[in-house]
Amino acid sequence: MALKAVLLDFNGVVINDEAIHGRLIEELLLEENLRPNPKDLTDCCLGRSDAACLKDLLARQGRVISEEYLEKLLTRKTTRYRDVLTDLDHLPLYPGLDDLVYQIRAAQLKLAIVSGARYSEIEAVLAQVSWGKHVELVISSDDLAAGVSKPAPDGYLLAIEQLNQQFTDLVLQPADCLAIEDSFAGIEAAKRAGVPVLGVAHAYPYQMIHRRATWAIDHLYELSLDWLKPYYSSGNGGFNESSRVSA
């Protein structure tokens, strides 16, 4: 067993945009004459797709909508999200991404994004960063069946399948991958797919991430892939015990 691919979450790992998403979701609820509840936003949205988030938020307030109407809300939000990014002087990317991508390329690993965001939102960011061209695969909510969202493992399983199709000599298995996640739903999705997962304490306190992920760090810029080589070379798949990654 060897590390062959790094699978990045997007919102909360690549870009610090949870506040943007929260504001846009609140706007949609207000336009539906519903009062946003901060706890509901955290419970229903963090780490999950916009479709799952909105559907659950509306249901909690007794509103049941059709898939067609849900798609209209999602399209409206995506348009506004891209407008917000266009108006920003600098994208709120997490420090350490450039170095992480350099490490991935230097180690000749495959790089993919596995996210509940819509493809057009991810593409809008990747088009503005120098390392965007090095992302070999993007799995977004557009690639999954309606209603499927993390913590379901579908996105990770699909990423592994498509990387194997794209690189026929890769023979990629879940244990050969490293997922990087910041949310409970994302960590669970990776683990259910059999992928070892590094939790980054961007959205939750370190101790809460540490209890759930295979490994945990406070900040993305702390990560050195060299630290993980012994775990992958040992053939000890599964990695049941969480630990702090440190020098």
Side-chain angles (χ1 to χ4, degrees), residues 137-163:
L137 176 69
V138 173
I139 298 296
S140 70
S141 62
D142 302 329
D143 299 300
L144 303 177
V148 174
S149 175
K150 297 173 183 178
D154 301 48
Y156 280 105
L157 295 173
L158 182 59
I160 294 166
E161 177 186 336
Q162 291 198 7
L163 283 171

Side-chain angles (χ1 to χ4, degrees), residues 11 17-18 20-28 31 45 48-51 53-54 70-84 116-118 120-121:
N11 308 112
D17 62 355
E18 300 293 355
I20 297 172
H21 284 284
R23 185 172 74 250
L24 296 178
I25 292 290
E26 287 180 351
E27 286 179 7
L28 290 178
E31 290 165 3
C45 299
R48 304 178 71 221
S49 70
D50 283 345
C53 161
L54 272 172
L70 177 62
E71 180 60 29
K72 289 181 180 179
L73 293 179
L74 293 172
T75 299
R76 193 188 311 166
K77 177 185 172 291
T78 295
T79 300
R80 292 174 180 176
Y81 176 82
R82 297 190 64 162
D83 288 343
V84 169
R118 306 198 103 184
S120 61
E121 296 179 2

Side-chain angles (χ1 to χ4, degrees), residues 51-227:
C53 161
L54 272 172
K55 206 166 189 177
D56 285 358
L57 284 175
L58 292 169
R60 285 194 178 196
Q61 300 202 41
R63 183 75 59 83
V64 178
I65 61 175
S66 67
E67 291 299 323
E68 291 77 12
Y69 193 76
L70 177 62
E71 180 60 29
K72 289 181 180 179
L73 293 179
L74 293 172
T75 299
R76 193 188 311 166
K77 177 185 172 291
T78 295
T79 300
R80 292 174 180 176
Y81 176 82
R82 297 190 64 162
D83 288 343
V84 169
L85 293 189
T86 300
D87 290 340
L88 293 175
D89 292 332
H90 303 284
L91 291 176
L93 302 176
Y94 281 100
L97 275 167
D98 288 339
D99 180 64
L100 176 58
V101 174
Y102 174 82
Q103 292 183 60
I104 291 168
R105 294 185 64 211
Q108 298 183 317
L109 308 178
K110 304 306 178 189
L111 173 60
I113 286 176
V114 180
S115 173
R118 306 198 103 184
Y119 179 80
S120 61
E121 296 179 2
I122 298 171
E123 187 274 336
V125 173
L126 293 183
Q128 298 185 55
V129 296
S130 61
W131 52 265
K133 60 182 177 292
H134 301 303
V135 176
E136 275 118 351
L137 176 69
V138 173
I139 298 296
S140 70
S141 62
D142 302 329
D143 299 300
L144 303 177
V148 174
S149 175
K150 297 173 183 178
D154 301 48
Y156 280 105
L157 295 173
L158 182 59
I160 294 166
E161 177 186 336
Q162 291 198 7
L163 283 171
N164 278 324
Q165 291 173 356
Q166 190 172 341
F167 304 97
T168 55
D169 60 344
L170 188 60
V171 196
L172 186 65
Q173 299 296 321
D176 302 327
C177 303
L178 171 68
I180 301 181
E181 285 278 359
D182 73 308
S183 70
F184 299 162
I187 290 170
E188 183 179 344
K191 294 178 80 172
R192 286 171 61 182
V195 177
V197 54
L198 175 76
V200 187
H202 287 164
Y204 293 97
Y206 169 82
Q207 290 300 331
M208 298 179 74
I209 292 294
H210 178 264
R211 288 197 293 268
R212 291 167 171 82
T214 316
W215 306 284
I217 56 177
D218 287 301
H219 306 285
L220 194 62
Y221 57 75
E222 297 173 349
L223 177 59
S224 170
L225 293 179
D226 286 341
W227 298 336

